[in-house]
Amino acid sequence: MDPSTGATDRPGGSASGEKAEAIYQQLLAFLARLDENHVPYALIMDRPEGIMVQFAMPGVRWEVEFMTDGRIDVERFYGTGVIEDETALDELWQLLALDRQ
């Protein structure tokens, strides 16, 4: 196997290598479309089997995860449109304290 590409010496390559190549191409095409539309994004790898693209648009935060098995998982988080002041951060600190217990 070529470590730089993941290609095998077998004719036709491996099925998992082909899936990885296909999902990588989909990820690159997706990022190019975000770039074309001037959408800032962050790449996050919080588990070994996927790369997540996070970005926000007015009222919606998106998480699009490109998985090594070829799946693309999409989650959307909708905002209420209510803007709060800094006292809302008290709730955040309380929730984080509960998670540590």
Side-chain angles (χ1 to χ4, degrees), residues 7-42:
T8 63
D9 293 333
R10 289 180 278 171
S14 71
S16 64
E18 290 169 7
K19 274 187 195 175
E21 176 66 23
I23 200 69
Y24 179 67
Q25 292 302 322
Q26 287 180 293
L27 172 61
L28 292 178
F30 182 77
L31 296 177
R33 287 188 75 176
L34 290 176
D35 287 338
E36 287 168 11
N37 288 284
H38 308 286
V39 176
Y41 56 84

Side-chain angles (χ1 to χ4, degrees), residues 82-98:
V82 175
I83 298 176
E84 300 178 64
D85 64 18
E86 68 273 5
T87 60
L89 295 175
D90 293 338
E91 184 178 341
L92 169 65
W93 306 133
Q94 289 171 359
L95 290 169
L96 290 172
L98 288 174

Side-chain angles (χ1 to χ4, degrees), residues 2 6-7 11 14-15 20 24-25 30-34 41 47 49 57-58 60 63 68-69 71 76-78 90:
D2 180 342
S14 71
Y24 179 67
Q25 292 302 322
F30 182 77
L31 296 177
R33 287 188 75 176
L34 290 176
Y41 56 84
R47 53 186 171 162
E49 67 274 8
M57 308 208 41
V60 174
E63 292 182 356
T68 56
D69 65 3
R71 234 176 44 246
R76 291 181 278 184
F77 303 89
Y78 293 92
D90 293 338

